[in-house]
Amino acid sequence: MTVMNARDTIELQLADGRIIPATIRRRTTDTSPHTGRELQELHGWVTTDDPETHRWLSVALRGQGDGIVRSLDPSGEPAGRWQLSWNSYGETAGVCTYGLILREAEELSLEALIVDGVELHPYEYREEFLEEGLTIWAKMVGSHADVTRINRLIRTRTSFPVTRRGFHNTPREMRLGVAEWSEYEDRIKYRLVLVDHEIGEEMRAELGRIQEENSRSAIGYYANLVDRLAELLIENGTITRSEMDALREGARAQPGISRHEVWRVTDIDLL
């Protein structure tokens, strides 16, 4: 992290369009974990001795949340995008001072997710850097063949290169934790959860929890389906009840369900 002490003033445009001047007392830079770019962080304050401005400012800053504010150059043109947090407040001799931290906001736009050389285009994408490293959640529309290929990766490889084109073009070694899928019209929607090759116990436990929930859901679905199908076959005279009982005994002797079916869910978009 680089620290620069330099006092200057910038103009900030808040969510309602109102512009306020902010005095910057310190600038630091740090590396973005998402893109590797150098990002600025500004520490400063806003002051006012006007009661109406004070009331407006206290409401505006509280309502800002995780929203993005823009800074303007001397000609009034946009000059930067920032995540703003209000970290202190004080009042002296009728002058109200709000301490601010401005973190440069990245415009992240994923062009493609490349998993072991296969180019994917998620319709929903999220990534987060936790203590264990990078975790990616991505949802795609594809075919049964796509899901089969992903499942083959899980069975045969412990990790593989993943590139987030548009974020960072350097591949990183990752493993596939979960590959859930659901039927969508005549195609398949599926979700991938990718984690860095070296993951901690907390993330391992979370992936285990997801897989356990999927297993319960799949087993419940197929148990219900088999029961309904069995009764229908008996009603139609296709099979006798004693023959069905024999089939059930055989199933108990060789239990099991394919990993592909375990990861089937009702609707990926409910995850």
Side-chain angles (χ1 to χ4, degrees):
M1 176 182 291
T2 304
V3 179
M4 295 169 286
N5 294 309
R7 183 168 300 187
D8 57 11
T9 301
I10 63 173
E11 291 190 326
L12 299 177
Q13 186 174 43
L14 297 188
D16 61 358
R18 192 160 170 176
I19 296 172
I20 57 171
T23 300
I24 305 303
R25 62 179 176 81
R26 187 175 60 155
R27 296 173 181 264
T28 65
T29 60
D30 207 351
T31 302
S32 164
H34 299 282
T35 64
R37 289 182 53 235
E38 288 293 308
L39 300 178
Q40 291 190 78
E41 182 174 287
L42 311 182
H43 297 247
W45 61 81
V46 172
T47 62
T48 181
D49 58 3
D50 176 55
E52 189 279 327
T53 301
H54 163 58
R55 284 192 294 270
W56 165 79
L57 197 53
S58 62
V59 172
L61 290 176
R62 275 197 298 269
Q64 185 62 37
D66 294 328
I68 302 297
V69 301
R70 291 189 176 275
S71 58
L72 306 178
D73 64 19
S75 64
E77 294 297 317
R81 300 170 68 254
W82 310 89
Q83 291 178 313
L84 182 151
S85 60
W86 168 23
N87 69 334
S88 66
Y89 168 74
E91 185 174 348
T92 304
V95 177
C96 305
T97 301
Y98 297 85
L100 306 178
I101 298 177
L102 297 165
R103 296 179 177 87
E104 186 177 352
E106 292 186 283
E107 296 194 45
L108 299 174
S109 179
L110 183 74
E111 296 175 9
L113 183 66
I114 303 171
V115 178
D116 197 40
V118 177
E119 185 169 312
L120 304 172
H121 295 274
Y123 67 86
E124 184 176 314
Y125 179 87
R126 178 168 64 93
E127 70 175 39
E128 185 176 356
F129 279 86
L130 305 171
E131 291 183 5
E132 297 86 356
L134 176 64
T135 300
I136 291 172
W137 295 264
K139 295 179 182 179
M140 277 74 58
V141 174
S143 65
H144 278 286
D146 294 328
V147 179
T148 300
R149 183 173 64 244
I150 294 297
N151 285 330
R152 189 179 300 116
L153 264 183
I154 295 174
R155 290 194 303 270
T156 60
R157 303 270 294 281
T158 58
S159 65
F160 31 81
V162 175
T163 302
R164 301 118 65 223
R165 198 167 71 208
F167 280 31
H168 206 297
N169 291 330
T170 301
R172 59 192 303 139
E173 200 70 10
M174 304 190 78
R175 66 174 68 192
L176 185 57
V178 178
E180 301 135 319
W181 63 277
S182 63
E183 303 220 348
Y184 173 67
E185 298 176 350
D186 59 344
R187 307 200 74 193
I188 295 294
K189 289 188 297 187
Y190 61 103
R191 180 180 80 152
L192 306 182
V193 180
L194 296 154
V195 296
D196 272 340
H197 178 56
E198 299 297 332
I199 61 173
E201 288 304 315
E202 183 178 345
M203 179 53 64
R204 200 182 305 276
E206 173 64 12
L207 293 177
R209 182 192 65 77
I210 294 172
Q211 292 191 22
E212 184 178 354
E213 287 181 358
N214 292 343
S215 298
R216 288 200 193 102
S217 177
I219 290 169
Y221 169 80
Y222 284 102
N224 189 33
L225 177 64
V226 168
D227 284 342
R228 289 171 179 267
L229 181 60
E231 291 303 317
L232 182 63
L233 290 173
I234 292 170
E235 286 177 15
N236 292 339
T238 306
I239 192 171
T240 66
R241 190 167 293 278
S242 60
E243 288 172 327
M244 180 58 66
D245 290 341
L247 285 173
R248 291 183 188 276
E249 285 302 317
R252 291 190 186 97
Q254 292 183 318
I257 184 169
S258 75
R259 196 169 192 177
H260 173 70
E261 294 298 332
V262 163
W263 282 334
R264 179 175 181 167
V265 296
T266 304
D267 186 349
I268 282 296
D269 290 331
L270 298 178
L271 300 175

